[in-house]
Amino acid sequence: MRADGLLALFELCVNADYVTVDGGGSFCLKRDGERLFVLFEKSDGLEDWENNLDFAARSHSTSDAVAPYRDMSEVWYCHGGFLRVWRSILPYIEGALLDLDFREIICVGYSHGAALSLLCHEYLWYNRHDLRGRIFSFAFGCPRVIYGRVPRERERWSGFYVIRNLDDLVTHLPPSILGFRHVGEMLEIGEVGRWSRIDAHRAENYVLSLRSLAQSSHIP
Protein backbone atom coordinates (compact mmCIF):
# COMPACT_ATOMS: atom_id res chain seq x y z
CA MET A 1 0.00 0.00 0.00
CA ARG A 2 1.15 3.52 -0.77
CA ALA A 3 2.04 5.79 2.14
CA ASP A 4 -0.78 8.20 1.25
CA GLY A 5 -3.19 5.30 1.63
CA LEU A 6 -1.81 4.58 5.09
CA LEU A 7 -2.16 8.24 6.01
CA ALA A 8 -5.81 8.23 4.91
CA LEU A 9 -6.50 5.14 7.03
CA PHE A 10 -4.79 6.65 10.07
CA GLU A 11 -6.74 9.88 9.77
CA LEU A 12 -9.97 7.91 9.30
CA CYS A 13 -9.19 6.12 12.56
CA VAL A 14 -8.22 9.10 14.71
CA ASN A 15 -11.11 11.26 13.48
CA ALA A 16 -13.91 8.67 13.76
CA ASP A 17 -16.93 9.00 16.04
CA TYR A 18 -16.63 6.11 18.47
CA VAL A 19 -19.08 4.08 20.51
CA THR A 20 -17.71 3.17 23.95
CA VAL A 21 -18.95 0.01 25.68
CA ASP A 22 -18.78 -1.28 29.23
CA GLY A 23 -15.26 -2.54 29.70
CA GLY A 24 -13.66 0.53 28.14
CA GLY A 25 -13.46 -0.48 24.49
CA SER A 26 -14.38 1.96 21.71
CA PHE A 27 -15.24 1.05 18.13
CA CYS A 28 -16.66 2.53 14.95
CA LEU A 29 -18.10 0.69 11.93
CA LYS A 30 -18.12 2.30 8.49
CA ARG A 31 -19.62 0.75 5.38
CA ASP A 32 -18.37 1.42 1.86
CA GLY A 33 -20.46 -0.75 -0.44
CA GLU A 34 -19.31 -4.34 0.10
CA ARG A 35 -16.34 -3.19 2.20
CA LEU A 36 -16.50 -2.80 5.97
CA PHE A 37 -14.09 -0.66 7.98
CA VAL A 38 -13.75 -1.66 11.64
CA LEU A 39 -12.03 1.10 13.62
CA PHE A 40 -10.68 0.97 17.17
CA GLU A 41 -9.83 4.01 19.28
CA LYS A 42 -6.66 4.75 21.23
CA SER A 43 -6.63 4.72 25.03
CA ASP A 44 -9.30 7.05 26.35
CA GLY A 45 -9.56 7.14 30.12
CA LEU A 46 -8.38 5.35 33.23
CA GLU A 47 -10.11 2.06 32.45
CA ASP A 48 -8.26 1.75 29.16
CA TRP A 49 -4.92 2.29 30.89
CA GLU A 50 -5.76 -0.29 33.54
CA ASN A 51 -6.39 -2.79 30.73
CA ASN A 52 -3.20 -1.72 28.95
CA LEU A 53 -1.16 -2.49 32.05
CA ASP A 54 -2.76 -5.87 32.71
CA PHE A 55 0.10 -7.80 31.11
CA ALA A 56 -0.84 -11.22 32.48
CA ALA A 57 -1.06 -13.63 29.55
CA ARG A 58 -4.44 -15.31 29.09
CA SER A 59 -5.33 -18.25 26.89
CA HIS A 60 -7.48 -17.37 23.91
CA SER A 61 -8.96 -20.85 23.87
CA THR A 62 -9.69 -21.95 27.44
CA SER A 63 -13.17 -22.59 28.79
CA ASP A 64 -13.65 -18.91 29.66
CA ALA A 65 -12.71 -17.63 26.21
CA VAL A 66 -15.04 -16.06 23.70
CA ALA A 67 -16.98 -18.67 21.71
CA PRO A 68 -16.11 -20.18 19.18
CA TYR A 69 -12.71 -20.70 20.84
CA ARG A 70 -13.95 -22.83 23.72
CA ASP A 71 -13.24 -26.18 22.11
CA MET A 72 -10.19 -25.28 20.06
CA SER A 73 -7.27 -27.67 20.25
CA GLU A 74 -4.84 -24.91 19.20
CA VAL A 75 -4.24 -23.07 22.46
CA TRP A 76 -2.53 -19.69 22.33
CA TYR A 77 -1.99 -16.81 24.71
CA CYS A 78 -2.18 -13.04 24.61
CA HIS A 79 -2.20 -9.87 26.72
CA GLY A 80 -5.02 -10.32 29.24
CA GLY A 81 -6.16 -6.70 29.37
CA PHE A 82 -6.56 -6.38 25.61
CA LEU A 83 -8.35 -9.72 25.43
CA ARG A 84 -10.82 -8.53 28.09
CA VAL A 85 -11.59 -5.34 26.13
CA TRP A 86 -11.97 -7.31 22.87
CA ARG A 87 -14.47 -9.60 24.54
CA SER A 88 -16.48 -6.58 25.73
CA ILE A 89 -16.67 -5.14 22.19
CA LEU A 90 -17.34 -8.33 20.23
CA PRO A 91 -21.09 -8.67 21.02
CA TYR A 92 -21.69 -5.20 19.56
CA ILE A 93 -19.89 -5.81 16.26
CA GLU A 94 -20.18 -9.56 15.72
CA GLY A 95 -23.25 -9.25 13.51
CA ALA A 96 -21.41 -6.94 11.13
CA LEU A 97 -18.26 -9.07 11.14
CA LEU A 98 -20.26 -12.15 10.14
CA ASP A 99 -22.47 -10.35 7.60
CA LEU A 100 -22.00 -12.16 4.29
CA ASP A 101 -22.85 -8.98 2.38
CA PHE A 102 -19.33 -7.73 3.14
CA ARG A 103 -16.74 -9.04 0.71
CA GLU A 104 -13.75 -7.23 2.23
CA ILE A 105 -13.05 -6.11 5.80
CA ILE A 106 -10.38 -3.62 6.85
CA CYS A 107 -9.52 -3.17 10.53
CA VAL A 108 -7.66 -0.07 11.68
CA GLY A 109 -6.52 0.79 15.18
CA TYR A 110 -4.18 3.19 16.90
CA SER A 111 -2.28 2.41 20.14
CA HIS A 112 -4.69 0.55 22.47
CA GLY A 113 -7.00 0.25 19.45
CA ALA A 114 -4.21 -1.29 17.38
CA ALA A 115 -4.07 -4.20 19.83
CA LEU A 116 -7.81 -4.70 19.39
CA SER A 117 -7.42 -4.70 15.62
CA LEU A 118 -4.98 -7.60 15.99
CA LEU A 119 -7.54 -9.68 17.89
CA CYS A 120 -10.29 -8.67 15.48
CA HIS A 121 -8.17 -9.72 12.51
CA GLU A 122 -7.64 -13.19 13.96
CA TYR A 123 -11.35 -13.51 14.80
CA LEU A 124 -12.19 -12.75 11.18
CA TRP A 125 -9.57 -15.20 9.90
CA TYR A 126 -11.03 -17.92 12.10
CA ASN A 127 -14.71 -17.23 11.36
CA ARG A 128 -14.79 -15.84 7.81
CA HIS A 129 -13.12 -18.53 5.70
CA ASP A 130 -14.82 -16.96 2.69
CA LEU A 131 -12.84 -13.74 3.20
CA ARG A 132 -9.36 -15.11 3.71
CA GLY A 133 -7.14 -13.03 1.47
CA ARG A 134 -9.58 -10.10 1.74
CA ILE A 135 -9.03 -9.24 5.40
CA PHE A 136 -6.53 -6.44 5.97
CA SER A 137 -5.58 -4.74 9.20
CA PHE A 138 -3.39 -1.74 9.97
CA ALA A 139 -2.20 -1.36 13.55
CA PHE A 140 -0.58 2.04 14.16
CA GLY A 141 1.62 2.29 17.25
CA CYS A 142 0.68 -1.23 18.28
CA PRO A 143 1.88 -2.67 21.59
CA ARG A 144 2.94 -6.29 21.79
CA VAL A 145 -0.15 -8.49 22.24
CA ILE A 146 0.86 -12.09 21.60
CA TYR A 147 2.57 -14.18 24.26
CA GLY A 148 4.78 -16.98 22.98
CA ARG A 149 4.16 -18.84 19.74
CA VAL A 150 0.81 -19.33 18.02
CA PRO A 151 -0.17 -22.29 15.81
CA ARG A 152 -0.41 -21.30 12.12
CA GLU A 153 0.67 -17.80 13.07
CA ARG A 154 1.56 -16.61 9.58
CA GLU A 155 -1.82 -17.72 8.29
CA ARG A 156 -3.78 -16.10 11.12
CA TRP A 157 -2.19 -12.70 10.65
CA SER A 158 -1.70 -12.69 6.89
CA GLY A 159 -2.62 -9.17 5.79
CA PHE A 160 -1.93 -7.70 9.25
CA TYR A 161 0.50 -4.76 9.37
CA VAL A 162 2.05 -3.04 12.36
CA ILE A 163 3.06 0.55 11.56
CA ARG A 164 5.76 1.78 13.94
CA ASN A 165 6.98 5.37 14.11
CA LEU A 166 10.65 4.84 14.88
CA ASP A 167 11.48 5.18 18.61
CA ASP A 168 7.79 4.75 19.60
CA LEU A 169 7.97 3.38 23.15
CA VAL A 170 4.49 1.79 23.08
CA THR A 171 5.48 -0.56 20.27
CA HIS A 172 8.12 -2.03 22.59
CA LEU A 173 5.68 -2.81 25.40
CA PRO A 174 5.11 -5.16 27.13
CA PRO A 175 8.85 -5.97 27.15
CA SER A 176 9.88 -8.87 24.96
CA ILE A 177 11.81 -10.33 27.89
CA LEU A 178 8.40 -11.19 29.39
CA GLY A 179 7.56 -13.31 26.35
CA PHE A 180 5.40 -10.85 24.38
CA ARG A 181 5.95 -10.32 20.68
CA HIS A 182 4.62 -8.77 17.49
CA VAL A 183 2.96 -10.73 14.70
CA GLY A 184 2.24 -9.85 11.09
CA GLU A 185 4.43 -7.55 9.04
CA MET A 186 6.21 -4.57 10.59
CA LEU A 187 6.39 -1.32 8.58
CA GLU A 188 8.71 1.27 10.13
CA ILE A 189 8.29 4.95 9.34
CA GLY A 190 9.93 8.18 10.54
CA GLU A 191 13.49 8.88 11.57
CA VAL A 192 15.53 7.55 14.46
CA GLY A 193 16.12 10.25 17.10
CA ARG A 194 13.65 12.78 15.71
CA TRP A 195 11.39 12.56 18.76
CA SER A 196 11.57 11.24 22.29
CA ARG A 197 10.23 7.73 22.73
CA ILE A 198 6.99 9.13 24.13
CA ASP A 199 6.57 11.86 21.51
CA ALA A 200 7.15 9.32 18.72
CA HIS A 201 3.84 7.71 19.76
CA ARG A 202 1.75 10.88 19.44
CA ALA A 203 -0.84 10.93 16.67
CA GLU A 204 0.37 14.20 15.20
CA ASN A 205 3.86 12.74 14.77
CA TYR A 206 2.51 9.63 13.07
CA VAL A 207 0.81 12.02 10.65
CA LEU A 208 4.08 13.89 10.03
CA SER A 209 6.01 10.67 9.38
CA LEU A 210 3.33 9.32 7.05
CA ARG A 211 3.17 12.62 5.15
CA SER A 212 6.94 12.65 4.78
CA LEU A 213 6.92 9.11 3.46
CA ALA A 214 4.08 9.88 1.08
CA GLN A 215 6.06 12.77 -0.39
CA SER A 216 9.13 10.64 -0.93
CA SER A 217 8.14 7.17 -2.09
CA HIS A 218 6.06 4.04 -1.69
CA ILE A 219 6.36 1.93 1.41
CA PRO A 220 9.74 0.17 1.05
Side-chain angles (χ1 to χ4, degrees):
M1 172 176 283
R2 293 177 58 96
D4 52 0
L6 286 178
L7 176 58
L9 287 174
F10 184 70
E11 291 181 328
L12 178 69
C13 182
V14 298
N15 294 321
D17 293 323
Y18 286 95
V19 175
T20 300
V21 305
D22 290 341
S26 300
F27 71 90
C28 175
L29 301 177
K30 289 184 176 291
R31 180 170 195 152
D32 178 17
E34 295 183 337
R35 176 185 296 156
L36 175 67
F37 290 92
V38 187
L39 311 174
F40 298 99
E41 192 178 25
K42 66 180 179 64
S43 299
D44 183 19
L46 178 60
E47 189 171 19
D48 281 354
W49 280 107
E50 290 174 346
N51 288 318
N52 293 351
L53 296 172
D54 180 9
F55 291 175
R58 304 284 201 288
S59 170
H60 203 290
S61 49
T62 56
S63 60
D64 68 338
V66 176
Y69 294 91
R70 288 189 173 130
D71 299 318
M72 281 183 65
S73 59
E74 297 180 335
V75 177
W76 55 276
Y77 294 84
C78 63
H79 184 295
F82 295 137
L83 178 58
R84 182 167 55 249
V85 178
W86 166 242
R87 289 174 176 171
S88 73
I89 289 177
L90 181 57
Y92 295 89
I93 66 174
E94 191 168 27
L97 299 183
L98 300 180
D99 188 339
L100 298 180
D101 287 344
F102 292 118
R103 305 309 303 155
E104 181 179 66
I105 299 181
I106 298 175
C107 304
V108 188
Y110 167 46
S111 189
H112 168 97
L116 301 180
S117 74
L118 181 152
L119 295 172
C120 186
H121 185 100
E122 196 278 341
Y123 174 89
L124 289 164
W125 176 86
Y126 184 81
N127 289 282
R128 293 295 305 269
H129 294 197
D130 59 310
L131 288 189
R132 290 184 182 178
R134 285 173 287 170
I135 303 165
F136 304 98
S137 298
F138 301 89
F140 295 89
C142 189
R144 296 185 177 113
V145 180
I146 298 302
Y147 178 85
R149 295 289 169 178
V150 178
R152 294 190 289 169
E153 179 180 298
R154 296 187 70 177
E155 293 178 43
R156 291 178 191 276
W157 285 284
S158 174
F160 180 81
Y161 301 91
V162 176
I163 298 89
R164 168 191 280 167
N165 203 15
L166 287 173
D167 295 331
D168 181 349
L169 175 63
V170 170
T171 64
H172 295 276
L173 297 174
S176 59
I177 196 171
L178 298 180
F180 290 92
R181 42 193 294 278
H182 286 293
V183 292
E185 184 174 346
M186 176 76 72
L187 303 176
E188 293 188 322
I189 62 175
E191 303 171 28
V192 174
R194 183 174 182 183
W195 294 292
S196 71
R197 302 199 75 185
I198 293 175
D199 286 341
H201 186 66
R202 298 186 188 280
E204 59 269 27
N205 293 331
Y206 266 84
V207 169
L208 288 174
S209 291
L210 288 166
R211 283 179 178 166
S212 177
L213 186 59
Q215 291 167 359
S216 61
S217 66
H218 291 239
I219 293 290

